[in-house]
Amino acid sequence: MRVLVLGGDGYCGWATALHWCRRGYGVGIVDSLVRRHWDRQLQIDTLTPILPIEARIRCWRTLTGKTIDLFIGDLTNYDFVKSSMQQFEPDAIVHFGEQRSAPFSMMNRERAVETQVTNVVGNLNVIFAMHEHFPNAHLVKLGTMGEYGTPNIDIEEGYITIEHNGRSDRLPYPKQPGSFYHLSKVHDSHNIQFACRVWKLRATDLNQGVVYGVSTEETDMDEALINRLDYDGIFGTALNRFCIQAAIGHPLTVYGKGGQTRSFLDIRDTVRCVELAIANPAAPGEFRVFNQFTELFSVNELAHLVKDAGEKLGLRVAIENMENPRIELEQHYYNAKNTNLLDLGLQPHKLSDSLLDSLINYAIRYQHRVDMDVIAPTVTWRNGYVAPTMVAV
Amino acid sequence: MRVLVLGGDGYCGWATALHWCRRGYGVGIVDSLVRRHWDRQLQIDTLTPILPIEARIRCWRTLTGKTIDLFIGDLTNYDFVKSSMQQFEPDAIVHFGEQRSAPFSMMNRERAVETQVTNVVGNLNVIFAMHEHFPNAHLVKLGTMGEYGTPNIDIEEGYITIEHNGRSDRLPYPKQPGSFYHLSKVHDSHNIQFACRVWKLRATDLNQGVVYGVSTEETDMDEALINRLDYDGIFGTALNRFCIQAAIGHPLTVYGKGGQTRSFLDIRDTVRCVELAIANPAAPGEFRVFNQFTELFSVNELAHLVKDAGEKLGLRVAIENMENPRIELEQHYYNAKNTNLLDLGLQPHKLSDSLLDSLINYAIRYQHRVDMDVIAPTVTWRNGYVAPTMVAV
């Protein structure tokens, strides 16, 4: 089984690429490295010191004797997409290769357009290359639970059966995404679903929750393989921010009322979920949707979990509410289904266990690398990006 | 009231621009003229001899004494969008300025990407310019009934109330578009809905059916003002094709079984619908959806209407079924609601009346301009564009 990982230098992509490689899959990484470029432009950095992709892959080969093919280029360049796929000959294509930050997409018009063009055109190029050259490959596409928004009814996995005026149909679940980034994922989902219908491609859309954690078995083998930990106001998540704030003695900053409820999973479960999707491919013509998360928490619940875990380590942790830079419901119903992956055998990790062994411990170990200036939000949904002093992006 | 018509050199845009200008609205036209460029590339032409935009506007001024401002440029160029809007200062922006052909978008990867980038980025630029400079203007955006596809339940106007597991919510109606073009309109709708929610923009999405007819009161004033009539395999509609086939004595070519049911309206009703939308603007923050059509017909019904009308004029009309170049259901349930515009006072024209006075008559009058080579479909949903001899696009 040969798996091509688009975005394999990123957080989820790197962990999954190593995992499959160790299991004996043929693995190739496609990446433009643009995420590292954006970090420099925005003057932010991962807490953990990640090495350049070529050094990471070299270390992996030294440790395990296994090679990973590397294709550096942009998915919006069709010749590159096609030639990478023709060289590698994938059985499965796992597509993490998109701009994945909501605040980034809300910075200004340029970043909104860049996000949608990068994601939509890259994804179109992948499905056209599959249609023209690899019609039997299985596309495993990373979507997001944020595609659904926060409806007042239960969130199903991609489809919902609607009874209406005495008739019934199973239709795509309505989408109410909350940023230009989340919108780009909705666009992708519609495009892929259409390609499956007319070209009989096979695809699995993984509507993933917020991923947390640094450790996977493979990245733990050597510090040179360490994964990202983003805590800045643009690429960081609330949970990561809280862990770093706890480690350095800063109050945890909850945006708004904190009743915003989202879905979460451990990076070790991301790796496993994608593995389950690949091992059980969609049928030709099938556009399959899995909701990929293991637990639901409100932001307040997250803050209290971090506070409790931090206090077990002897840290003193305060919690503060601040004005919400986003526009979102702060109190709402939220109940999302996630049975498809559990039915395939997923054994979830629990956040309460992972906090200590895969998050706060990293925050403490690398606290000397914390840049206090990047933690505060720099992007508001209403007014876009306000650059720190001396930065114009 | 100042109305800026994006795509004002096109079929719907030209008719509406003249209509409002005569009613005393301040009217500006924004157009890149790329549609005329595509016609040349694809070696197709409107049946009716349309003049260059500057000649059309000059004739209009001579006849009526009224001026129309003209801005030639591309909506994907933000500086152009912004400066046109700042010069014109619109109260309402009517956005027809998109690639609007399903077969064009299915020609190949390049045309699919061109369609989605042109439409999505152009539309993003419009909503960003509104957010930044004209937050109180009313966006009237042309969508398509094709966004809904052919679900097995009634099609509502943009939203549907779903009861599910004992709870209820009014959610965006699920979308199942049938080409990369239709997908681009779904992407636009999601983007605009989000902009209304977070920026309190006001927008009306007109999910329009298939428009037919050439005559409006204004375009009838002089042959120099004549509107388009597209009958080729890429930009033409089935109804236009049938009328031209009837006029020249060619059998009407029905794709597949002919049970495909779609929604239709007369160009005179398009003009009136947009006027009603502008006269009754959406509230700030409101994303309002109107299904803009007046009648439903299957392709078979259309063919028989044309046959009957043609025979009244003494034409002998045969009907033939041919292999369907598209991938679509050929027998399906179809019931779409269209009460919003009727409630605002729309008085529909009927296809059975318009056929003779606004379609077949034009087909007969301009039959010397018919190019038989462009009527057959050149694009299939499975394999894309097969160019006529000597054409590589």
Side-chain angles (χ1 to χ4, degrees), chain B residues 117-159:
Chain B
V117 170
T118 299
N119 293 2
V120 170
V121 175
N123 185 62
L124 283 174
N125 283 347
V126 170
I127 59 182
F128 267 93
M130 290 177 64
H131 172 50
E132 290 170 4
H133 303 285
F134 295 89
N136 286 313
H138 178 206
L139 175 64
V140 177
K141 169 67 167 52
L142 269 288
T144 163
M145 286 298 293
E147 294 187 34
Y148 300 115
T150 53
N152 195 37
I153 58 173
D154 292 345
I155 294 173
E156 302 295 329
E157 302 198 62
Y159 300 89

Side-chain angles (χ1 to χ4, degrees), chain B residues 288-359:
Chain B
R288 189 174 60 169
V289 183
F290 294 166
N291 291 347
Q292 179 164 313
F293 69 91
T294 59
E295 295 176 283
L296 302 177
F297 298 105
S298 71
V299 176
N300 283 329
E301 288 169 334
L302 284 185
H304 283 282
L305 281 167
V306 171
K307 181 179 162 75
D308 293 348
E311 286 172 352
K312 277 188 200 148
L313 296 176
L315 300 169
R316 291 190 50 183
V317 183
I319 297 175
E320 272 179 9
N321 291 74
M322 60 176 288
E323 196 182 344
N324 193 345
R326 305 190 178 203
I327 296 171
E328 60 190 359
L329 293 180
E330 296 177 3
Q331 297 289 353
H332 57 87
Y333 180 74
Y334 198 79
N335 186 35
K337 304 296 177 62
N338 64 339
T339 52
N340 285 343
L341 283 160
L342 297 173
D343 290 348
L344 289 177
L346 178 67
Q347 305 276 343
H349 293 81
K350 291 272 181 195
L351 174 58
S352 50
D353 301 324
S354 306
L355 264 176
L356 294 177
D357 65 5
S358 186
L359 260 174

Side-chain angles (χ1 to χ4, degrees), chain A residues 78 109 116 125 131 152 154 156 164-165 167 169 176-178 187 191 194 197-199 381-382, chain B residues 78 109 116 125 131 152 154 156 164-165 167 169 171 176-178 187 191 194 197 199 327 381-382:
Chain A
Y78 186 65
R109 188 199 66 86
Q116 294 208 350
N125 283 346
H131 172 51
N152 195 37
D154 293 344
E156 302 294 329
H164 184 55
N165 298 346
R167 303 182 63 87
D169 201 359
Q176 298 183 107
H187 306 340
N191 282 341
F194 172 73
R197 178 150 52 90
V198 299
W199 295 335
W381 261 225
R382 209 172 305 278
Chain B
Y78 186 65
R109 189 198 66 85
Q116 294 209 348
N125 283 347
H131 172 50
N152 195 37
D154 292 345
E156 302 295 329
H164 184 53
N165 298 344
R167 302 181 63 87
D169 202 359
L171 294 171
Q176 298 182 109
H187 306 341
N191 283 342
F194 172 73
R197 178 149 52 90
W199 295 334
I327 296 171
W381 263 225
R382 210 174 303 280

